[in-house]
């Protein structure tokens, strides 16, 4: 962890993308190091091999069966592969092993949500807000607002969720799209000025494909906003824009595809 804070260390673990060959060379010297197996899982994920990533986290758990990050890594990849019950089980174990790490709970909430367990999901997101720093709340409020509005058909609770964090909140760079969505929902940025590519390029994480990932999140948020304001045509346009950016394992893409099918915009 060195000089990093707990939050900085978590963000580092979330976005690391080491080289498979380099990590393999380290593992040949110390094959029982759980940190290296976590790195290998992330390396395989960055290389686009989700199955190999799950296997790497699983091998690490052979050496360290109670390592919270390895259970988290495995659950996170199962989640993105649509294996929601195994993901929920893994992420629940990670939460039990370290109840102070709200990110573990956040990913369990997303698994519940993608599996259609919306009330359970919202409870986890709200519990996250009680643990996380204020700046991390934009992602949590985005999930609460969209879930209450779109899945639970409860615009009152959707509106109320927007008051759970301050309007002037500043999110970390990795949550650029979520912060932008929050500002749209609360009227701090107009629909016309919402999508600003130069601003995304300047203020999001400087990682390959990051602009597209933020755009998927934002177009799904724009869809929710249009539904909230009664703009059905704008809602359909937002969904189709999200689907043009093909990132199948992105949460925004999964959600956009589901609603595009429901609204007859695409075939299942």
């Amino acid at each position: 962890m060195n000089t990093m804070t707990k939050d900085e260390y978590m963000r580092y673990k979330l976005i690391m993308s080491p080289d498979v060959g380099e990590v393999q060379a380290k593992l040949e010297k110390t094959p029982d190091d759980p940190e290296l197996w976590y790195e290998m899982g992330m390396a395989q994920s960055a290389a686009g091999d989700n199955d190999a990533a799950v296997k790497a986290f699983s091998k690490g758990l052979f050496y360290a069966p109670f390592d919270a990050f390895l259970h988290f890594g495995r659950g996170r990849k199962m989640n993105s592969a649509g294996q929601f019950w195994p993901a929920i089980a893994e992420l629940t174990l990670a939460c039990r092993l370290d109840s102070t790490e709200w990110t573990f709970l956040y990913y369990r909430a997303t698994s519940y949500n993608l599996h259609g367990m919306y009330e359970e999901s919202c409870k986890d997101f709200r519990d996250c807000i009680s643990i996380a720093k204020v700046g991390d709340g934009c992602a949590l409020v985005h999930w609460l607002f969209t879930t209450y509005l779109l899945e639970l058909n409860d615009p009152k609770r959707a509106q109320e969720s927007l008051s759970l964090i301050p309007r002037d909140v500043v999110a970390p760079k990795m949550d650029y799209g979520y912060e932008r969505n929050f500002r749209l929902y609360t009227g701090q940025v107009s629909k016309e000025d919402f999508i600003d590519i130069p601003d995304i390029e300047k203020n999001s994480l400087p990682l390959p494909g990051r602009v597209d990932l933020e755009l998927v999140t934002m177009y799904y948020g724009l869809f929710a906003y249009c539904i909230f304001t009664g703009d059905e045509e704008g809602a359909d346009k937002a969904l189709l824009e999200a689907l043009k950016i093909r990132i199948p394992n992105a949460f925004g893409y999964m959600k956009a595809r589901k609603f595009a099918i429901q609204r007859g915009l695409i075939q299942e």
Side-chain angles (χ1 to χ4, degrees):
M1 199 163 173
N2 298 321
T3 60
M4 286 187 279
T5 66
K6 183 179 176 67
D7 287 341
E8 289 170 340
Y9 183 64
M10 184 72 241
R11 292 185 192 114
Y12 161 74
K13 299 279 271 190
L14 281 170
I15 65 173
M16 64 163 56
S17 54
D19 177 76
V20 172
E22 291 179 4
V23 180
Q24 184 60 49
K26 295 177 187 177
L27 279 169
E28 288 172 2
K29 297 178 182 177
T30 51
D32 59 348
D33 186 338
E35 287 278 344
L36 289 179
W37 281 110
Y38 183 87
E39 286 186 28
M40 178 57 83
M42 294 300 288
Q44 295 287 6
S45 178
D49 193 337
N50 202 71
D51 290 342
V54 170
K55 288 178 182 177
F57 294 127
S58 300
K59 288 179 181 178
L61 286 166
F62 171 79
Y63 296 106
F66 300 109
D67 187 286
F69 270 101
L70 287 171
H71 284 290
F72 165 68
R74 188 161 70 172
R76 187 183 175 202
K77 292 302 137 186
M78 288 173 169
N79 189 14
S80 64
Q83 300 170 18
F84 300 126
W85 272 119
I88 290 166
E90 284 295 288
L91 293 164
T92 297
L93 184 50
C95 292
R96 297 286 178 87
L97 291 168
D98 185 354
S99 61
T100 68
E101 186 45 77
W102 70 267
T103 304
F104 297 165
L105 191 60
Y106 168 80
Y107 276 91
R108 187 178 75 170
T110 66
S111 289
Y112 275 143
N113 197 288
L114 295 170
H115 197 45
M117 301 172 68
Y118 301 121
E119 291 289 0
E120 293 87 346
S121 170
C122 287
K123 181 184 183 306
D124 273 2
F125 285 128
R126 296 181 78 97
D127 286 346
C128 284
I129 290 176
S130 69
I131 304 171
K133 290 184 177 179
V134 172
D136 295 309
C138 290
L140 304 170
V141 169
H142 161 80
W143 277 94
L144 286 168
F145 177 80
T146 55
T147 302
Y148 285 139
L149 178 68
L150 302 171
E151 270 112 2
L152 293 173
N153 299 311
D154 192 338
K156 183 174 183 292
R157 280 200 288 175
Q159 179 71 60
E160 289 171 349
S161 72
L162 299 179
S163 65
L164 293 173
I165 58 176
R167 283 171 57 87
D168 61 353
V169 66
V170 177
K173 266 195 167 187
M174 70 181 299
D175 285 348
Y176 172 92
Y178 289 125
E179 180 183 328
R180 194 77 172 167
N181 286 354
F182 176 70
R183 300 205 183 286
L184 177 69
Y185 304 151
T186 53
Q188 298 177 75
V189 61
S190 70
K191 183 173 68 172
E192 292 72 26
D193 296 332
F194 179 57
I195 302 294
D196 184 337
I197 302 298
D199 191 67
I200 301 174
E201 292 172 340
K202 179 181 177 182
N203 293 302
S204 64
L205 287 175
L207 295 172
R210 192 70 193 189
V211 171
D212 282 347
L213 187 61
E214 300 293 1
L215 279 170
V216 168
T217 297
M218 292 169 66
Y219 277 121
Y220 180 64
L222 181 58
F223 162 68
Y225 176 78
C226 288
I227 293 295
F228 191 62
T229 58
D231 181 2
E232 294 291 332
E233 182 180 353
D236 286 346
K237 287 180 179 178
L239 286 178
L240 293 174
E241 288 297 325
L243 295 181
K244 287 179 183 178
I245 308 165
R246 295 194 58 81
I247 312 178
N249 63 346
F251 295 143
Y253 186 92
M254 294 180 197
K255 290 288 190 177
R257 186 175 184 278
K258 182 184 86 168
F259 284 105
I261 291 170
Q262 285 184 10
R263 293 169 74 85
L265 300 175
I266 63 171
Q267 298 297 313
E268 189 164 4

